[in-house]
Every structure is written in structure tokens, then in C-alpha cells.
Amino acid sequence: MRVIQRSEDRTNLKCSFVCNEAIEMLASLHVMADPDHHPACSDWAKRKYSLLSPKLKEEIDFFGSVYAKWYFIMDIAADVTSDVSSEEGTVEILVDSIRKMEQEEFAYLFLGLPAFEFDREELRKWIEWPDAVTKPALREQAGFFEIKDVIYFLKNMEEIKQRLIWVLENYWEECFSREWDAIRDYEESVLKKERIFFDRTDPIEYMKTLHPGVKVEDGRLIFQKNPDYSIAVSKIRELIIFLSVFSAPHLYGNIVGGKVNITMNLNFHSVKLRAPVPKDMFSLLTAVSDETRIRMMKILWNGDATTKEMSELLELSPSTISLHLKILKEAQLVETNKVKKFVYYKLIKDSFYKVQESLIDYFEY
């Protein structure tokens, strides 16, 4: 994670803009749990999911289907990594923090209770007597969890914790660590511009620009979710804005005490668009972007041929054929093979397969 800017504004509200690998990793897991609600990155999620090991898929599905599609696990990451300012990876910090977390704190965050100012004393009773949990007792959380799944969690917290740690570590290694550098570079470029805009805007008004579901009414900041989260504006002491390319179109946010976490939704496609077109791919595509050369390559695809043979087949002068062959050779699409006094041209088919892979890799994320 990098905190690019941190300051005290004129209302004494401390604000941080954050690029956080742990938050983004968990946001991507939420997309895998619910890809069709995230059109911009649904294809990415489905493709990456298909490449994961069977055991990892199974565990990702368990948390996604049973425990609120990773929503509140994202809140754990926001709670334990938002103040980290070192260059150390926040995924490692998140895993270590979960491993050391006491049962009560783990349950409080895992079940998403901070946003609703849930009574910790009642949670302690649940931990002691899990079977006593009822739907009325769950209140707002009954919309996110089945009672049986909450009871199972309370009875098996250590097992759930270890399974969660295993998923986080293995998903990072198998998939997300290779995605993060490009995502981080894009988010940091946006972050620098947003800080300038923030410094010229009232903080509360700025929050309202982050998502249509952020409202201010009767002196309260409201996150219009299901159910709503809210806090009196006068009680806000810290604002942490997490940049995310996976969160759109949802409003992700959390309120813990006087700290407000909220995600700025960025365009997922912008990550890949920042990458330059590979030079070798562009060179090859330029070489084949000619009807005559395509017809020549069709001849060579099915066997070697001389300049004279191609000249006769295409009804073009040998000098014209030689000019086109020079372009194809410079693009490493053809090579020569001398047989006695004849020079045969041979198509390098591997170049086509490589450019096919490069095209797919470039177009896909």
C-alpha cells in the first residue's frame, strides 16, 4: 500500500488516498463471486477463476457463497491495513493480522458488525452460546447471512480463520500478485490528480462525488446500501479513500468509530489501456496489412516457393514480389532456403502463433 498524500484539511478531517493491494485483491474475489454484477471486469474474473487450482476454487466459492460474497472480509482488510505506510505488502500484513486476531475481534469484523454499532456484549454471548443466535438477534445482518452459517462460524472460528488465511495466501501467489503492478501504476496516476481536486473542494462535498449512493441529509453522511450506513458529519475524524478498479458499480464503504472508509470506483479497462502496444506485434501486423502480402503468405503457408513462382501465380513482376518479400523478411515472417541455384522462401509459422498469443494477451486482461 502507498499513502501518496496525507494532510489535515480546514475542517480537521484527516484524509488519505490509498492504493491497497489487499483491498483490491479482496474486491477481485468479490467479483469472482458475483461477476455478472461487474460488467467491466466480469470476463477477466471468469477467465482468471478458470485457471485457478481446484482446491482454491472450492475455498473461494465457500467464502463467496456463504459469507456475503467477501463484502465484510474486505472490511477486515480496510480496518487492519488502512494506516500502513511502509513499502511492505499489505496482503502479508492482512494475513499476519488475521492470524493474530483475537476471536471476538475476528468475529466482530468478519460478520460486518462495526457499521451497525453492534453491541459487543451481545457478540460475546453469541461466542459463548452460538446456538442461541436467532434471526431477530442478527438484525441487519440477517440480510447477509443464514443463521446456520453464523452458528457454524461461531463454533468453528479457528477453522474458518485458517481457511481464510490459506485462500488469501494462495490466491495472491496463484493469481493476484501478477495483476497488481499494472493496477497499482494506474491507480497511483489517478491518485495524484484526485488529491489536487480534493484540496480545492469541501471534504463532505467531495465524498458525495464518489458515488450516487453517498448522501448528506440532516447533518448525517449516509451510504445508501441495503441497509444504509450513516454517521453524523460532526463525528467524522478520518476519511480513507481506497481506489479500486473492481468495485464499480457498487458503493463500498464502512464506518468504524469516527473513521469513514469509502472506495473510489475506477474504470477497469484503463489498466490495460495504459500498456503500450507490443512493438513486435505492431511490426508484424503492419507487415501483413497488405492484400498482396497476405496472398503471398497463403501460398507459402502450404509450401515453399521461389520469387518466380509467386510472380507467376499472382501475376505480378518479380521486382514487386521481391519488395514485398523484403518487408516480410524484416518482420521475421519468412526465411530463405537455397536449393542448388534456386532460392526458396519459407513462411515462419511460429511467428503467427506468437502474434496470436500476443494479441489475445493484449486484448485480454
Side-chain angles (χ1 to χ4, degrees), residues 125-134 147 150-152 154-155:
K125 292 177 183 177
W126 289 3
I127 294 172
E128 191 171 352
W129 296 292
D131 289 319
V133 177
T134 63
I147 292 176
V150 174
I151 292 173
Y152 180 85
L154 294 168
K155 288 182 175 181

Side-chain angles (χ1 to χ4, degrees), residues 188-203:
E188 289 185 349
S189 70
V190 172
L191 189 152
K192 293 172 183 177
K193 298 174 185 176
E194 282 300 313
R195 181 64 206 194
I196 296 171
F197 180 55
F198 177 84
D199 285 341
R200 298 172 180 173
T201 310
D202 177 80

Side-chain angles (χ1 to χ4, degrees), residues 150-203:
V150 174
I151 292 173
Y152 180 85
F153 167 77
L154 294 168
K155 288 182 175 181
N156 300 276
M157 270 195 279
E158 190 56 36
E159 174 204 325
I160 296 292
K161 182 191 288 189
Q162 295 307 316
R163 289 173 70 177
L164 176 59
I165 289 171
W166 185 90
V167 171
L168 298 178
E169 290 181 329
N170 283 271
Y171 179 64
W172 174 257
E173 291 299 325
E174 281 193 30
C175 176
F176 202 75
S177 60
R178 293 188 291 277
E179 307 295 318
W180 173 240
D181 284 346
I183 294 170
R184 180 192 58 214
D185 288 347
Y186 166 61
E187 290 183 358
E188 289 185 349
S189 70
V190 172
L191 189 152
K192 293 172 183 177
K193 298 174 185 176
E194 282 300 313
R195 181 64 206 194
I196 296 171
F197 180 55
F198 177 84
D199 285 341
R200 298 172 180 173
T201 310
D202 177 80

Side-chain angles (χ1 to χ4, degrees), residues 192-327:
K192 293 172 183 177
K193 298 174 185 176
E194 282 300 313
R195 181 64 206 194
I196 296 171
F197 180 55
F198 177 84
D199 285 341
R200 298 172 180 173
T201 310
D202 177 80
I204 304 303
E205 290 300 314
Y206 180 84
M207 274 188 271
K208 290 162 62 177
T209 70
L210 295 176
H211 194 278
V214 179
K215 306 291 184 183
V216 177
E217 297 176 2
D218 300 324
R220 296 190 70 83
L221 176 71
I222 302 169
F223 290 174
Q224 293 184 321
K225 297 168 70 70
N226 184 23
D228 292 349
Y229 300 176
S230 71
I231 182 174
V233 171
S234 61
K235 291 185 178 180
I236 301 175
R237 294 291 173 263
E238 184 173 6
L239 170 63
I240 301 176
I241 301 169
F242 295 97
L243 280 66
S244 177
V245 299
F246 294 104
S247 52
H250 298 329
L251 167 59
Y252 287 149
N254 191 21
I255 300 168
V256 182
K259 182 170 69 174
V260 174
N261 299 318
I262 186 169
T263 300
M264 176 187 292
N265 294 348
L266 302 179
N267 193 315
F268 178 79
H269 297 298
S270 296
V271 176
K272 200 66 174 184
L273 289 174
R274 284 173 58 82
V277 177
K279 289 184 179 180
D280 56 344
M281 182 178 76
F282 189 76
S283 174
L284 188 146
L285 292 175
T286 301
V288 301
S289 62
D290 178 271
E291 183 179 355
T292 298
R293 290 197 288 274
I294 290 175
R295 295 174 69 196
M296 290 169 62
M297 287 183 287
K298 185 174 178 65
I299 294 170
L300 296 175
W301 190 273
N302 298 288
D304 300 354
T306 65
T307 301
K308 183 175 182 297
E309 288 171 336
M310 285 186 280
S311 172
E312 293 170 351
L313 287 167
L314 297 174
E315 298 180 347
L316 293 170
S317 69
S319 61
T320 298
I321 294 297
S322 294
L323 179 62
H324 285 297
L325 284 170
K326 181 175 183 292
I327 294 171

Side-chain angles (χ1 to χ4, degrees), residues 97-109 120 127 153 157-158 161:
S97 298
I98 292 173
R99 185 176 285 115
K100 295 175 181 177
M101 206 172 281
E102 297 292 335
Q103 279 197 345
E104 180 184 321
E105 186 65 14
F106 182 59
Y108 192 65
L109 294 170
R120 281 183 178 262
I127 294 172
F153 167 77
M157 270 195 279
E158 190 56 36
K161 182 191 288 189

